[in-house]
Amino acid sequence: MSLPVDTGRRRPRTRVAVRATDPLTAHGLASSLGARPEVVLAPGPADVVVVATDQVSAETVALLRATAAEYGSPQVLVTGSLNPTDLLTIVECRVAVVLPRATATGDRLVGAIEDAAAGRGALPSDLLGDMLRQVGALQREVLAPHGLSPSGLAARELDVLRLLADGCDTLEVAVRLSYSERTVKNIVHTMITRLNLRNRSHAVAYAIRTGAI
């Protein structure tokens, strides 16, 4: 009698880098994660970076910026306390998930890592409310007076990008929007320069990623 053969493939483990504002915390976190079968500690490129700290300070923000620049990967922040005013700053540092240190069990930490690796974000409910209020204030007080959307794109830039995304060239865009072709080219050039994008395709991709179009 032959036994059934398991042809299923084991899910690849998430490569994780660990950073902390003190060596003992980093060592303890690495030891804990090293025992988990779902992740593997990565000496090189990592899918997710886990950063642990007692509280978010200027030192923490500097560490988050450095790891974001080094890895370019989403980050999980495990912290004892976080001032809501720092939320937008840490999000700019590619923090996708914030996990309160008091609730950071092994299972929850692995779940947070998997969320970050899959492109999902997670904030405690009280922090999420604070962040939404900050984004609303940013929109009302900073972006809207300058005719910009949360993506940093002006209304006429969005109009141009939508048509470019539909496959129109600059002449077709100009005709449809009743602009001169030179105006369309100037809009695109200004937008690419301001947002440090490479070309029109990159601009369209940026708009799609930010949900602007």
Side-chain angles (χ1 to χ4, degrees):
M1 180 178 178
S2 61
L3 295 176
V5 177
D6 182 7
T7 58
R9 293 184 178 180
R10 180 178 296 178
R11 185 175 61 179
R13 295 192 291 174
T14 304
R15 298 171 301 169
V16 177
V18 172
R19 295 290 184 272
T21 49
D22 69 273
L24 286 178
T25 298
H27 178 74
L29 189 57
S31 297
S32 176
L33 288 174
R36 300 291 305 210
E38 304 93 338
V39 303
V40 57
L41 296 179
D47 303 309
V48 176
V49 181
V50 178
V51 176
T53 183
D54 286 329
Q55 62 181 4
V56 174
S57 61
E59 180 187 6
T60 307
V61 172
L63 176 59
L64 291 169
R65 291 192 192 281
T67 51
E70 180 181 356
Y71 291 96
S73 302
Q75 304 197 67
V76 172
L77 175 63
V78 181
T79 182
S81 65
L82 171 62
N83 190 324
T85 58
D86 293 323
L87 276 171
L88 293 181
T89 299
I90 66 171
V91 169
E92 289 174 356
C93 297
R94 296 184 61 85
V95 171
V97 181
V98 175
L99 189 62
R101 196 162 184 169
T103 64
T105 63
D107 288 342
R108 288 194 176 188
L109 181 55
V110 169
I113 290 169
E114 291 177 340
D115 281 341
R120 297 186 294 267
L123 292 175
S125 56
D126 56 334
L127 292 180
L128 180 59
D130 286 325
M131 184 172 181
L132 291 174
R133 284 189 288 274
Q134 288 184 51
V135 171
L138 179 66
Q139 169 67 16
R140 291 190 306 273
E141 299 168 13
V142 179
L143 299 177
H146 294 88
L148 298 175
S149 68
S151 64
L153 296 164
R156 68 176 189 169
E157 291 172 341
L158 290 171
D159 290 339
V160 169
L161 285 173
R162 289 189 185 99
L163 292 175
L164 290 175
D166 287 339
C168 297
D169 59 25
T170 53
L171 180 57
E172 290 172 313
V173 172
V175 170
R176 294 199 186 189
L177 296 179
S178 299
Y179 293 156
S180 70
E181 188 174 7
R182 181 175 181 179
T183 296
V184 172
K185 290 180 178 179
N186 285 340
I187 291 172
V188 172
H189 174 75
T190 300
M191 172 179 53
I192 288 174
T193 302
R194 187 181 74 250
L195 298 174
N196 196 29
L197 303 171
R198 292 189 299 274
N199 48 42
R200 296 175 193 175
S201 297
H202 192 191
V204 170
Y206 169 84
I208 292 172
R209 284 199 305 270
T210 58
I213 63 173

